[in-house]
């Protein structure tokens, strides 16, 4: 059993992510997506919808020979830049305006509240992954797709150019170390499959008037890479597949 770690925290303690990772390893190595939505188009009081792009919650890691994930800060920072570039480019073809998120100063009373909203999205998103997309985990109370981040998200609307929606993105990407690759080869010779690096993530579009998650897409790939602009652009295209306009 591998000890998946993220930011130094064992994933078994981080909501349902360990269960999600295990379930996703059963899928094929190619990129797969799946989305759910409550709207076919976006509502707005403006000529075009204003979509607030929240800071991308992304982390890149090395998968060691022993199966632990060691975060790489340099890869992560580059991936953030590549992904933000891809979001801007993608939005140019859409009938909406992308607004970059401006974080308030630490002294601002809203600072802690907005940070809490970002963390909440990660937790709620993982619950959606588990209960909407993993077979056998469907909640009886969730026959319809009705998830929310709550009314507190209205604070984002007030502090970011009166945005209509917020786009949240969560991605975890890992790459096999040379030691891990050697173990995979040795295991294959013995007829045993040993998991390599994975790319898993999700994106949510949230109505800032109600807090309702109006669209959610999950993405999984055994071959994705966020360490180059070209590959990051492809990952963003997968994440935003089916995003309503």
């Amino acid at each position: 059993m591998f000890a998946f770690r993220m930011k130094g925290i064992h994933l078994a303690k981080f909501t349902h992510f360990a269960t999600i990772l295990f379930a996703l390893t059963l899928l094929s190595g190619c990129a797969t997506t799946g989305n759910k939505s409550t709207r076919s188009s976006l509502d707005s009081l403006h000529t075009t919808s204003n979509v607030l792009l929240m800071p991308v919650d992304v982390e890149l890691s090395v998968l060691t020979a022993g199966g632990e994930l060691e975060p790489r800060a340099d890869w992560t920072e580059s991936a953030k830049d590549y992904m933000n570039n891809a979001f801007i480019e993608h939005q140019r073809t859409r009938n909406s305006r992308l607004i970059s998120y401006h974080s308030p100063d630490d002294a601002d009373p809203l600072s802690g509240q907005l940070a809490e909203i970002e963390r909440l999205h990660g937790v709620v998103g993982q619950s959606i992954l588990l209960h909407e997309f993993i077979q056998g985990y469907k909640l009886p109370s969730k026959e319809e797709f009705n998830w929310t981040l709550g009314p507190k998200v209205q604070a984002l609307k007030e502090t970011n150019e009166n945005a209509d929606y917020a786009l949240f993105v969560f991605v975890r990407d890992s790459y096999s170390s040379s030691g891990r690759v050697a173990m995979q080869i040795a295991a294959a010779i013995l007829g045993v499959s040993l998991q390599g690096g994975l790319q898993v993530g999700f994106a949510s579009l949230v109505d800032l008037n109600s807090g309702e998650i109006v669209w959610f897409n999950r993405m999984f790939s055994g071959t994705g890479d966020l360490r180059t602009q070209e590959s990051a652009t492809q990952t963003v295209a997968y994440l935003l597949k089916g995003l309503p306009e």
Side-chain angles (χ1 to χ4, degrees):
M1 180 178 179
F2 306 139
F4 289 104
R5 297 180 181 275
M6 179 174 62
K7 293 184 179 178
I9 301 175
H10 197 287
L11 286 179
K13 298 179 181 179
F14 202 83
T15 319
H16 311 295
F17 210 69
T19 302
I20 294 166
L21 281 175
F22 176 76
L24 291 178
T25 59
L26 304 178
L27 300 178
S28 61
C30 60
T32 64
T33 64
N35 63 71
K36 292 180 179 291
S37 179
T38 63
R39 300 182 191 176
S40 57
S41 62
L42 302 183
D43 301 321
S44 175
L45 296 176
H46 312 98
T47 304
T48 59
S49 297
N50 293 327
V51 178
L52 174 65
L53 177 61
M54 297 297 293
V56 179
D57 187 349
V58 59
E59 184 173 86
L60 276 63
S61 304
V62 173
L63 181 62
T64 69
E68 291 193 347
L69 292 175
E70 295 183 349
R72 284 286 301 266
D74 53 342
W75 290 354
T76 297
E77 288 307 309
S78 294
K80 288 180 181 179
D81 291 337
Y82 293 145
M83 292 183 73
N84 282 327
N85 292 338
F87 282 119
I88 293 172
E89 187 62 31
H90 182 275
Q91 200 64 24
R92 289 175 180 167
T93 65
R94 299 176 58 80
N95 185 33
S96 58
R97 173 171 170 252
L98 192 67
I99 302 172
S100 296
Y101 174 76
H102 297 291
S103 179
D105 296 333
D106 292 340
D108 192 314
L110 284 176
S111 178
Q113 183 176 335
L114 298 182
E116 181 182 341
I117 291 171
E118 292 182 68
R119 290 192 296 270
L120 176 62
H121 171 258
V123 175
V124 173
Q126 290 171 53
S127 293
I128 294 174
L129 266 184
L130 182 67
H131 299 300
E132 296 285 352
F133 294 96
I134 305 301
Q135 187 173 2
Y137 286 89
K138 180 71 176 180
L139 295 174
S141 60
K142 292 289 184 181
E143 293 184 6
E144 301 293 333
F145 185 78
N146 56 345
W147 297 82
T148 180
L149 295 187
K152 287 186 178 181
V153 298
Q154 292 176 0
L156 294 173
K157 185 180 183 73
E158 298 167 4
T159 58
N160 289 273
E161 302 183 49
N162 205 32
D164 300 299
Y165 299 88
L167 180 63
F168 292 82
V169 177
F170 177 102
V171 179
R172 293 296 179 264
D173 204 358
S174 60
Y175 308 87
S176 296
S177 65
S178 57
R180 186 65 174 182
V181 172
M183 288 190 66
Q184 287 176 270
I185 294 173
I189 294 174
L190 298 174
V192 178
S193 177
L194 197 60
Q195 180 59 52
L198 294 172
Q199 186 180 89
V200 59
F202 50 85
S204 306
L205 191 67
V206 179
D207 186 329
L208 293 183
N209 289 309
S210 64
E212 176 191 0
I213 297 177
V214 299
W215 171 87
F216 181 93
N217 186 45
R218 66 106 173 116
M219 181 274 302
F220 168 76
S221 176
T223 58
D225 195 336
L226 290 172
R227 295 174 295 180
T228 68
Q229 182 64 68
E230 182 178 4
S231 295
T233 297
Q234 182 62 69
T235 293
V236 167
Y238 286 135
L239 284 167
L240 299 185
K241 187 175 182 179
L243 181 66
E245 293 192 55

